[in-house]
Amino acid sequence: MTDSNPSADGELERSIREIGADLASAFPSNARHPLRALDSRAMDLASADQELKAALFRFVDVTPACRSLDDLARHLREYLREVPDAPPPLAAAMRIADVKAARPAVGAAAAAGVRHMAHRFIIGETPASALGVLRDLWNHGVASSVDLLGEATVTQPEADRYAARCDEALVELSRAERDWPSRDVLERDGIGSIPRTNVSVKISALTPLLRPDAPELGRRDAAERLRPLLRHADELGAHIHIDMESLDSREAVLDLVLEVLGEEAFIRGPSAGLVLQAYLRDSPEQLERILQWASSSGRTPPLTVRLVKGAYWDHELVQATQHGWPAPVFEVKAECDRNFEALTRRLLEARPAVRVAVASHNLRSVAHAIAHSRRLGGQDRDLELQVLRGLGDQLQDALASRGFRVRTYCPVGDLVAGMAYLVRRLLENTSNESFLHEQARGVPLEQLLAAP
Ligand SMILES: Cc1cc2nc3c(=O)[nH]c(=O)nc-3n(C[C@H](O)[C@H](O)[C@H](O)COP(=O)(O)OP(=O)(O)OC[C@H]3O[C@@H](n4cnc5c(N)ncnc54)[C@H](O)[C@@H]3O)c2cc1C
């Protein structure tokens, strides 16, 4: 357990600052700042103007459904009309969009903008077309997890298609990755070997029946599609990671994963993992449940726990407010960050019953995990750090240059399937409290690395 000895805590803080400053100095260059990926002026303006932000989100949301450029320009104009004081460049675009003959040009520019932005986050339409990027990452000392875009399916054929796409990705990736050069830091920790092929899977895409009022039905239906994936991953030596989504499916997902991975057929493999969301107030109890399972099931290789803050913060608050429920998430960012650190420590102390993956773009959260791991006497290879493609590129390069195992989460799919993903990334990063936003505003490093 962590002692509350003030001099030991002071030592830990010093070590966090040192590690954080060293990583910051290894960031490739200011010219490639992550928020640039969200695209310059529109996003800067959106951060400062809530109504414009709402209009841009609605626009991004509707882009894939537009049938023509004319259609797209019309939507852009309609959404921007709702913004009381449109900034000059947008006001000009609206005036042009009023002229029918000019609409396709405005539409083309807008569509290109959305596509450009999406390509920063989405590495290809199919696993085959993503192989070049994945190999490049590997050559630069970066592992990956491929996420087949698509969430919350509504029909059985859709769920079948998603499962088939995941299966094809397992086959395609493991075939290609076999020929990659060996990279010890990415392929081995103190427990043993780590698969090259890593696919992230969403349970809500594996079944249309995942509803909070009938969790058993969804669980059973999803398990039918999850088992063949696990069997195939085991044959191919690949890793399957189950993402966590909004709170209304959390219990069902956790029950399902622990139940299926505990079955006789899967107790010796494949390598698999799940996600813990630190923004949830009850996450410490959830972690205890996971750790209890990990030590009592005796499963090998041990479960990988990816610790995140959580991507559905606004959604959870709105849901709770609408139903008159108490907020299930922390409402003060520092409380969420402190909980993230407490969970990091608990997880690191639970090794080797679990493998630990800390997924964050927050330099303080990451430096804290590294410092505490070292303080426990752990080797750096016994901690994995994870980032999202397009947002964590700089941190990814810095971590790789310092010899850490870093894994980048790489979405693959078409623009339509990617919209929900893109909108979440935009929402998250134009929030004033986001670490990346603070970093982009030029908050001094010392402040960024201060204890939450
Ligand atoms: C590799 C990887 C995989 C991921 N997989 C998942 C997944 O399966 N499921 C999932 O839900 N998320 C997932 N995420 C997203 C993650 O949950 C975060 O949304 C994202 O990483 C931003 O957090 P941060 O630590 O990088 O940045 P920070 O800026 O430090 O934190 C931002 C986060 O803090 C929280 N927050 C914001 N405002 C407040 C507030 N006022 N009070 C309390 N908390 C607040 C929110 O969770 C917000 O996302 C993943 C992230 C990575 C890097």
Side-chain angles (χ1 to χ4, degrees):
M1 288 301 293
T2 314
D3 48 62
S4 53
N5 170 349
S7 85
D9 289 347
E11 188 55 44
L12 181 68
E13 284 304 318
R14 259 193 304 283
S15 156
I16 292 170
R17 277 198 299 278
E18 266 171 37
I19 293 166
D22 179 52
L23 286 173
S25 74
F27 273 33
S29 102
N30 282 337
R32 282 180 48 210
H33 200 282
L35 278 198
R36 299 266 152 75
L38 293 174
D39 265 355
S40 60
R41 279 182 61 73
M43 282 302 129
D44 288 349
L45 292 166
S47 304
D49 181 334
Q50 290 308 312
E51 314 226 16
L52 174 58
K53 185 167 160 178
L56 289 176
F57 283 135
R58 284 202 293 280
F59 174 66
V60 166
D61 218 8
V62 84
T63 303
C66 288
R67 286 180 308 279
S68 65
L69 295 178
D70 191 51
D71 204 16
L72 197 62
R74 205 167 36 74
H75 276 96
L76 179 61
R77 192 195 49 197
E78 292 308 318
Y79 289 145
L80 291 178
R81 261 196 222 296
E82 293 164 25
V83 181
D85 303 306
L90 294 177
M94 283 162 64
R95 277 196 304 277
I96 299 170
D98 269 336
V99 182
K100 185 151 191 341
R103 256 187 237 153
V106 177
V114 171
R115 212 171 291 130
H116 175 70
M117 198 148 64
H119 281 150
R120 305 276 189 138
F121 301 96
I122 300 168
I123 62 165
E125 292 233 337
T126 60
S129 68
L131 283 174
V133 174
L134 297 173
R135 191 188 170 103
D136 244 30
L137 286 172
W138 183 264
N139 287 338
H140 285 93
V142 178
S144 54
S145 184
V146 166
D147 161 48
L148 279 305
L149 285 165
E151 39 199 289
T153 58
V154 290
T155 65
Q156 294 287 355
E158 253 176 16
D160 287 337
R161 266 199 305 280
Y162 177 75
R165 281 169 58 221
C166 290
D167 192 63
E168 283 156 25
L170 282 173
V171 174
E172 186 100 41
L173 298 174
S174 47
R175 190 186 312 134
E177 293 173 357
R178 220 174 289 144
D179 299 331
W180 291 359
S182 76
R183 288 268 181 278
D184 200 51
V185 65
L186 304 182
E187 302 188 76
R188 183 155 291 280
D189 65 3
I191 290 167
S193 66
I194 297 169
R196 290 180 176 193
T197 301
N198 184 313
V199 173
S200 286
V201 173
K202 286 198 169 52
I203 296 297
S204 71
L206 276 185
T207 173
L209 304 176
L210 198 64
R211 284 194 297 268
D213 49 347
E216 180 53 30
L217 205 62
R219 233 175 25 232
R220 246 186 293 133
D221 194 49
E224 295 301 308
R225 294 189 182 87
L226 182 59
R227 287 193 189 95
L229 284 178
L230 289 169
R231 262 195 296 277
H232 209 173
D234 202 18
E235 285 159 23
L236 295 166
H239 175 94
I240 296 274
H241 213 97
I242 308 296
D243 284 352
M244 198 54 93
E245 302 172 67
S246 50
L247 181 60
D248 53 10
S249 64
R250 197 264 316 261
E251 277 321 293
V253 170
L254 193 56
D255 288 351
L256 165 73
V257 174
L258 298 185
E259 187 187 311
V260 173
L261 291 182
E263 289 171 5
E264 188 58 31
F266 303 117
I267 202 76
R268 295 281 163 261
S271 171
L274 47 68
V275 175
L276 181 69
Q277 294 161 317
Y279 65 5
L280 293 174
R281 291 177 189 277
D282 70 356
S283 48
E285 292 90 75
Q286 296 293 318
L287 176 55
E288 290 315 313
R289 181 180 168 202
I290 293 167
L291 293 179
Q292 170 65 36
W293 181 90
S295 53
S296 64
S297 71
R299 183 177 197 275
T300 53
L303 195 65
T304 302
V305 181
R306 179 201 295 157
L307 179 64
V308 302
K309 286 179 191 145
Y312 307 82
W313 187 79
D314 303 74
H315 168 85
E316 302 300 1
L317 268 190
V318 170
Q319 284 282 102
T321 310
Q322 274 174 357
H323 291 91
W325 297 330
V329 289
F330 291 106
E331 290 173 82
V332 174
K333 172 74 162 55
E335 283 184 43
C336 172
D337 289 354
R338 279 197 293 274
N339 188 46
F340 190 87
E341 294 193 0
L343 297 173
T344 300
R345 292 194 291 271
R346 180 76 182 103
L347 270 167
L348 291 171
E349 285 154 16
R351 293 173 302 184
V354 286
R355 278 178 159 151
V356 182
V358 168
S360 170
H361 308 121
N362 185 321
L363 202 53
R364 159 79 200 186
S365 308
V366 172
H368 166 269
I370 296 168
H372 191 70
S373 176
R374 288 177 178 172
R375 183 192 192 187
L376 293 171
Q379 295 192 26
D380 287 347
R381 67 179 186 168
D382 293 329
L383 165 65
E384 179 163 302
L385 299 156
Q386 297 190 351
V387 299
L388 297 176
R389 169 77 175 179
L391 286 176
D393 300 353
Q394 282 192 316
L395 180 57
Q396 160 207 288
D397 291 349
L399 288 166
S401 77
R402 293 297 187 260
F404 292 99
R405 185 170 65 258
V406 54
R407 185 177 306 282
T408 296
Y409 184 97
C410 296
V412 167
D414 67 22
L415 200 53
V416 178
M419 270 310 129
Y421 180 84
L422 185 58
V423 169
R424 264 207 307 281
R425 298 287 79 84
L426 297 181
L427 253 181
E428 215 165 75
N429 289 284
T430 49
S431 143
N432 287 332
E433 292 188 279
S434 123
F435 178 89
L436 291 178
H437 192 258
E438 291 206 320
Q439 199 181 28
R441 272 200 301 121
V443 171
L445 185 61
E446 199 178 328
Q447 225 169 306
L448 293 174
L449 292 175

